[in-house]
């Protein structure tokens, strides 16, 4: 008895060591990629299923936007693998959080930023482009994306910088006076994809407006294809917060790719944008340091060098991989610019999935290779799932569908407009006697809370 227990411990130890070999991956083999992606997705969904707020479909603990981005990642996973096992959870979460068909549910809308909302819209347009299964009695995927567009473009703010989307939506939020790359690049991408899917020029006009406006600010410097993270209204969008993030580049690259395709390649600016920004996003494949990554392993350099990425930032590589991977199907000639490094990144990422009890939990920093970096979570899984799925895109080799090429998700240009969501919410109802003091307290409370919340959802 005692001996066998001792033996079991020893064997257990041996298994743990074996587990540290990480998930297996043969990058050139479709079924190996699929099985690795499945392992990573399954662990991700374990986190999802055990969250505290699990009774609320699509709502994550302490964050709302990540629901949209996780579903987006899972929709692509389904597209490239055909694995339907997570579809119910995706549909349930997406529909539950749809609000008035615009992904602006009243539970959370008081503290959401434009970027938070747009990610759900991007998930919905992804679903439409892949003919992802819809449920009867629910709005179509593309209409949900249109609902996001319809609530966002009226927020285009010309009171400063001659235009642009603010980061945060409500004046009481810290970040209201900021215009950032992901909010503008997010709506840019959504508009471009709606243009290609529906063929409706209104969306293309908005996409072009956002791109051109961005190019008048540090958010999109066409001279050297640099994307600043933020700029502020007070300076008329001349200052710049220069943190470099993969997803900022990827969202502008992706939108330009859809516009290139929508315009039948007749406007050179889109192809130039795609190629210019792919070139500058080489910075995310660092050539020195990073454990000898040698320009081959994707890294969110701004936080990974110091090992201090927050939960939002950990997910960015998923979007970068998916958006760049997918654009190769609509912009001929880009595969060779994108896949060689996505391949080597996926190989490193799979090796990094060597943590936790069973030796398959993924870390954050892929360039640490088989030495697990000691971090794990839903976000780490999402990020690796993104790069694995991206590598399956060439095997599927299908472009996004449009209404004229077999898209079945029905357009509704008026989706999301029957709503009072654009009214500034009243946060407190207080009696007249209490007003002044309570007002001050409310302001302090609200801005403290907003700072805390926006800090949490900072960057997305
Ligand atoms: C809003 O919050 C209530 C109370 O927690 C919850 O029952 C409901 O499911 C939430 N709705 C959404 C869309 O999250
Ligand atoms: C692109 O070409 C297609 C097919 O020739 C045509 O129907 C469409 O109008 C063109 N799009 C634009 C934006 O010119
Ligand atoms: C647009 O995408 C399709 C695939 O759907 C591709 O065949 C076509 O060449 C692309 N058009 C341009 C101008 O790149
Ligand atoms: C195109 O989109 C705009 C903006 O939503 C809408 O007003 C218009 O009716 C749409 N046109 C068509 C033909 O669907
Ligand atoms: C608009 O919303 C209200 C309240 O939810 C609803 O009663 C009404 O039927 C909706 N109108 C349309 C045109 O959908």
């Amino acid at each position: 008895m005692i001996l066998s227990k001792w033996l079991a411990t020893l064997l257990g130890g041996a298994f743990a060591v074996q587990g540290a070999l990480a998930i297996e991956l043969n990058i050139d083999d479709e079924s190996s990629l699929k099985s690795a992606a499945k392992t990573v997705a399954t662990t991700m969904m374990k986190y999802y299923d055990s969250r505290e707020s699990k009774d609320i479909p699509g709502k994550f603990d302490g964050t709302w936007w990540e629901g949209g981005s996780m579903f987006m990642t899972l929709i692509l996973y389904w597209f490239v693998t055909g694995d339907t096992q997570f579809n119910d959870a995706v549909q349930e979460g997406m529909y539950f959080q749809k609000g008035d068909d615009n992904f602006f549910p009243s539970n959370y809308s008081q503290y959401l930023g434009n970027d938070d909302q747009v990610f759900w819209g991007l998930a919905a347009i992804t679903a439409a482009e892949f003919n992802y299964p819809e449920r009867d009695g629910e709005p179509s995927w593309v209409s949900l994306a249109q609902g996001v567009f319809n609530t966002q473009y009226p927020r285009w703010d010309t009171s400063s910088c001659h235009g642009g989307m603010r980061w945060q939506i409500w004046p009481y939020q810290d970040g209201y006076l900021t215009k950032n790359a992901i909010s503008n690049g997010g709506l840019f991408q959504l508009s471009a994809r709606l243009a290609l899917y529906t063929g409706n020029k209104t969306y293309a006009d908005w996409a072009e407006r956002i791109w051109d406006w961005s190019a008048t600010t540090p958010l999109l410097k066409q001279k050297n294809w640099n994307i600043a993270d933020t700029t502020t209204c007070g300076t008329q969008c001349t200052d710049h917060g220069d943190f470099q993030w993969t997803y900022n580049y990827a969202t502008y690259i992706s939108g330009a790719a859809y516009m290139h395709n929508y315009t039948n390649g007749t406007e050179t600016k889109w192809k130039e944008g795609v190629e210019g920004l792919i070139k500058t996003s080489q910075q995310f494949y660092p050539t020195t340091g990073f454990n000898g990554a040698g320009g081959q392993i994707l890294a969110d350099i701004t936080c990974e060098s110091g090992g201090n990425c927050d939960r939002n930032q950990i997910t960015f590589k998923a979007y970068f991989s998916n958006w760049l991977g997918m654009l190769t199907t609509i912009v001929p000639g880009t595969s060779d610019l994108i896949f060689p490094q996505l391949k080597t990144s996926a190989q490193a990422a799979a090796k990094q999935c060597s943590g936790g009890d069973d030796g398959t939990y993924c870390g954050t920093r892929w360039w640490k290779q088989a030495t697990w970096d000691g971090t794990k979570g839903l976000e780490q899984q999402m990020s690796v799932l993104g790069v694995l799925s991206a590598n399956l895109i060439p095997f599927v080799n299908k472009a996004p569908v449009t209404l004229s090429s077999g898209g079945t998700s029905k357009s509704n240009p008026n989706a999301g407009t029957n709503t009072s969501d654009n009214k500034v919410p009243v946060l407190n109802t207080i009696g007249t006697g209490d007003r002044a003091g309570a007002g001050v307290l409310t302001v302090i409370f609200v801005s403290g809370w907003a700072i805390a919340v926006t800090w949490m959802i900072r960057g997305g």
Side-chain angles (χ1 to χ4, degrees):
M1 190 66 181
I2 286 168
L3 183 72
S4 67
K5 224 181 189 171
W6 176 80
L7 199 66
T9 311
L10 195 78
L11 286 174
F15 273 119
V17 171
Q18 217 172 34
L21 291 173
I23 55 176
E24 272 188 46
L25 177 64
N26 174 355
I27 192 73
D28 297 313
D29 180 62
E30 185 177 8
S31 63
S32 170
L33 268 164
K34 280 187 183 174
S35 121
K38 187 175 178 172
T39 303
V40 173
T42 303
T43 305
M44 178 174 82
M45 291 310 274
K46 270 191 213 151
Y47 281 106
Y48 180 65
D49 292 338
S50 60
R51 70 197 192 280
E52 257 169 54
S53 46
K54 63 174 175 297
D55 293 337
I56 308 179
K59 175 66 178 77
F60 286 31
D61 300 333
T63 176
W64 180 76
W65 82 283
E66 262 183 54
S69 75
M70 186 186 82
F71 295 141
M72 179 172 74
T73 310
L74 281 172
I75 291 165
L76 182 79
Y77 167 77
W78 165 83
F79 178 66
V80 295
T81 62
D83 181 358
T84 57
Q85 66 173 315
F86 307 119
N87 286 9
D88 280 344
V90 172
Q91 288 178 328
E92 215 185 322
M94 292 277 287
Y95 293 136
F96 201 81
Q97 296 299 333
K98 70 180 190 284
D100 291 334
D101 298 353
N102 57 4
F103 292 117
F104 205 55
S106 57
N107 276 11
Y108 320 111
S109 57
Q110 313 90 294
Y111 63 84
L112 294 183
N114 283 307
D115 47 0
D116 302 309
Q117 184 190 20
V118 85
F119 265 90
W120 289 81
L122 292 169
I125 188 67
T126 306
E129 289 169 351
F130 297 162
N131 278 336
Y132 192 70
E134 294 182 340
R135 281 188 189 166
D136 290 344
E138 289 289 354
S140 69
W141 296 128
V142 67
S143 75
L144 290 173
Q146 289 168 308
V148 171
F149 173 85
N150 287 337
T151 27
Q152 292 218 331
Y153 83 81
R155 297 185 194 136
W156 186 254
D157 168 63
T158 51
S159 72
S160 65
C161 318
H162 307 292
M165 298 298 287
R166 295 174 185 271
W167 171 23
Q168 298 297 323
I169 296 165
W170 310 118
Y172 54 79
Q173 286 174 296
D174 189 44
Y176 181 70
L177 298 175
T178 297
K179 294 186 176 175
N180 65 341
I182 195 62
S183 297
N184 285 282
L187 184 59
F188 164 62
Q189 185 193 152
L190 183 69
S191 307
R193 293 171 76 167
L194 281 170
L196 186 62
Y197 183 87
T198 65
N200 186 330
K201 185 169 177 297
T202 305
Y203 302 121
D205 291 344
W206 269 99
E208 188 155 23
R209 176 173 296 133
I210 300 167
W211 173 273
D212 288 349
W213 173 83
S214 299
T216 67
T217 75
L219 299 182
L220 177 66
K221 273 184 243 128
Q222 284 176 309
K223 240 190 321 185
N224 59 1
W225 296 113
N226 182 271
I227 293 183
D229 186 40
T230 55
T231 186
T232 58
C233 302
T235 67
Q236 295 299 331
C237 295
T238 54
D239 65 341
H240 37 96
D242 282 327
F243 287 138
Q244 300 290 292
W245 300 111
T246 51
Y247 79 154
N248 285 339
Y249 282 77
T251 196
Y252 278 98
I253 296 172
S254 171
Y258 283 87
M259 286 305 287
H260 163 79
N261 200 277
Y262 170 79
T263 57
N264 293 324
T266 55
E267 281 184 55
T268 51
K269 76 195 239 189
W270 303 120
K271 189 87 183 286
E272 277 165 22
V274 169
E275 288 171 355
L277 289 170
I278 287 178
K279 228 172 247 161
T280 47
S281 51
Q282 281 295 314
Q283 65 179 304
F284 302 114
Y285 292 105
T287 50
T288 55
F290 292 84
N291 192 27
Q296 300 302 315
I297 302 173
L298 185 61
D300 255 301
I301 46 175
T302 296
C303 63
E304 287 187 33
S305 48
N308 54 355
C309 302
D310 68 23
R311 67 186 291 187
N312 305 304
Q313 295 155 359
I314 290 169
T315 67
F316 294 171
K317 288 180 290 189
Y319 324 135
F320 182 93
S321 306
N322 288 353
W323 294 339
L324 266 66
M326 214 43 221
L327 77 81
T328 60
T329 67
I330 53 170
V331 187
T334 45
S335 284
D336 292 345
L337 301 177
I338 290 172
F339 279 115
Q341 287 160 310
L342 284 186
K343 271 188 173 186
T344 44
S345 297
Q347 286 170 306
K351 288 186 195 151
Q352 183 55 208
C353 297
S354 57
D357 298 341
D358 66 354
T360 65
Y361 282 75
C362 308
T364 305
R365 286 165 284 174
W366 304 344
W367 43 274
K368 292 203 170 245
Q369 304 272 357
T371 310
W372 180 48
D373 78 348
T375 70
K376 61 181 162 71
L378 188 152
E379 292 80 6
Q380 281 85 346
Q381 300 300 124
M382 197 198 300
S383 190
V384 175
L385 179 61
V387 78
L388 292 172
S389 299
N391 277 281
L392 280 159
I393 291 170
F395 290 100
V396 177
N397 194 24
K398 266 195 242 154
V401 293
T402 68
L403 280 179
S404 57
S405 72
T408 53
S409 192
K410 283 208 181 62
S411 166
N412 173 8
N414 300 318
T417 53
N418 184 19
T419 175
S420 55
D421 286 346
N422 284 327
K423 289 203 197 105
V424 177
V426 179
L427 291 168
N428 275 10
T429 324
I430 44 176
T432 7
D434 298 328
R435 185 149 287 156
V440 171
L441 274 181
T442 305
V443 168
I444 293 169
F445 167 73
V446 166
S447 53
W449 172 70
I451 289 166
V453 170
T454 50
W455 181 78
M456 283 193 300
I457 58 178
R458 171 79 183 84

